[in-house]
Amino acid sequence: MARYFENSADGLVPDALSGFARAHADLVEYDGADGYVTARHTAPERRVGLLSGGGSGHEPMHAGYVGAGMLDAACPGRVFASPHNRQIYRASLAAAREDGVLHVVKNYTGDRINFGIAAERLADQDITCARVLVDDDLASDSEGIAAGRRGTGGTVLVEKILGGAADTGMGIGDLAELGTAVVGRCRTLAVASAAHHGPSTGERAFDLPAGELEYGVGIHGERADRTRPQGRVAALVEEMSDALLAELRPGAAEPVVALVNGLGSVTSLELYGIFGELGRVLDARGVRLARQLVGEYVTALDMRGFSLTLLVAGPDVLDFYDAPVHTPALRW
């Protein structure tokens, strides 16, 4: 039985993008023929277009971050499915500037393949293209996972920082180097007490007993390698934060940017409580919290869970993070 409010399973994404473009007509345009969204206004100093994309179901990612100070274009695929390389190619042509186009790609096999094919087609047209691969998910950091770490919540921070840098006129090589460095100092960990409902089936992707949670879940409903009792949120956040800090090992003078992200069905009341616990853990560990985002930024349809992302950021990175941004989903 269908659970989502939709005309049809095939129409869910294009109908949403059409409505999204109309709701934010002052900021974005939607190309329905090729399925991509472009920004109406970006800085004239930009020499490189920024393009991201991936499966839908993670709203406000990807289209929500198209606009001034962030992405020039985004290619949303079908729910939890990579965009077609034709979409990416067309969007890249629309976004490219004098120094080419930079693809921000989350580390999933389909995305890597399709963005790669699009890059080859761009090369045939003598359009410079480079890639920043986002693989921030700590839970999938295992030699037993051939595809490597997944790309998750850290993508938002990477795109914001690259947007601020691109607005200074930075070239494509320097942007790619900056983006890769930011990814290297960013990790995310996600948990869920209930999976999302599949749009075509209306059924949950997996079942959990009451009081249990998946520790290290993916944003497409990928189960973790362990299920554990949920317990008090203070202890859960402390465990997650310590795992992230053990991996990142920030220096005494290195501030961090934190993202507390809802996966689709966690309330603001809960998210701010989680952020409060995170702040207390960072204070106790002597880690300076420089900036924070709390809310839904990378969802997994209606998954009942949240993710924590920490980014170790130097002064230059903070300057790019603080640069003005005006998109449908992020602005300051």
Side-chain angles (χ1 to χ4, degrees):
M1 180 174 66
R3 186 179 184 279
Y4 292 91
F5 295 101
E6 59 186 2
N7 292 316
S8 67
D10 289 341
L12 179 58
V13 171
D15 288 351
L17 289 172
S18 180
F20 172 83
R22 183 164 185 173
H24 303 286
D26 57 327
L27 300 176
V28 301
E29 292 182 87
Y30 173 49
D31 185 315
D34 287 312
Y36 63 83
V37 176
T38 53
R40 288 187 180 275
H41 313 288
T42 55
E45 293 82 4
R46 279 197 182 198
R47 297 164 51 202
V48 180
L50 298 182
L51 170 67
S52 189
S56 294
H58 305 299
E59 289 67 32
M61 181 172 276
H62 302 81
Y65 304 126
V66 174
M70 216 159 166
L71 298 176
D72 292 272
C75 294
R78 299 175 68 180
V79 173
F80 294 170
S82 171
H84 194 279
N85 68 75
R86 183 195 69 256
Q87 278 179 268
I88 302 166
Y89 171 69
R90 296 287 188 186
S92 297
L93 292 178
R97 301 205 176 191
E98 62 190 84
D99 205 14
V101 59
L102 181 65
H103 291 168
V104 182
V105 183
K106 297 190 301 302
N107 188 29
Y108 297 101
T109 302
D111 289 338
R112 292 182 67 155
I113 292 173
N114 284 309
F115 273 89
I117 294 172
E120 291 176 358
R121 297 179 66 180
L122 292 168
D124 289 340
Q125 300 296 317
D126 293 326
I127 297 173
T128 302
C129 180
R131 168 187 293 190
V132 171
L133 188 68
V134 183
D135 59 350
D136 57 311
D137 178 41
L138 184 61
S140 49
D141 190 358
S142 168
E143 293 181 357
I145 300 176
R149 293 188 301 266
R150 300 176 288 229
T152 56
T155 312
V156 180
L157 304 181
V158 173
E159 291 175 355
K160 173 63 195 78
I161 290 162
L162 286 177
D167 281 354
T168 68
M170 187 178 288
I172 193 166
D174 289 337
L175 281 172
E177 183 177 345
L178 171 65
T180 300
V182 170
V183 172
R185 306 230 59 194
C186 181
R187 290 293 181 271
T188 295
L189 191 54
V191 298
S193 59
H196 66 276
H197 291 83
S200 60
T201 66
E203 303 294 331
R204 288 200 183 276
F206 57 82
D207 293 317
L208 280 172
E212 298 286 306
L213 60 78
E214 286 288 290
Y215 187 91
V217 71
I219 59 173
H220 306 106
E222 303 100 325
R223 299 198 69 161
D225 62 358
R226 65 184 172 112
T227 301
R228 48 155 285 179
Q230 183 167 339
R232 290 172 56 85
V233 72
L236 176 61
V237 171
E238 182 174 6
E239 181 179 347
M240 296 170 70
S241 305
D242 282 343
L244 294 169
L245 291 172
E247 176 69 16
L248 292 169
R249 299 183 182 279
E254 292 182 307
V256 301
V257 178
L259 168 63
V260 175
N261 172 60
L263 293 175
S265 289
V266 175
T267 64
S268 292
L269 274 175
E270 295 165 283
L271 290 177
Y272 280 108
I274 291 164
F275 172 70
E277 298 296 344
L278 173 62
R280 279 188 278 276
V281 173
L282 295 178
D283 290 345
R285 305 296 185 265
V287 178
R288 183 166 75 86
L289 178 62
R291 307 288 187 274
Q292 63 280 324
L293 291 173
V294 182
E296 291 191 337
Y297 293 92
V298 183
T299 59
L301 289 174
D302 62 341
M303 183 180 289
R304 179 151 181 76
F306 70 91
S307 60
L308 299 183
T309 300
L310 294 180
L311 164 67
V312 182
D316 290 346
V317 168
L318 284 180
D319 286 346
F320 294 138
Y321 179 86
D322 289 340
V325 60
H326 194 162
T327 72
L330 196 66
R331 58 185 68 179
W332 54 70

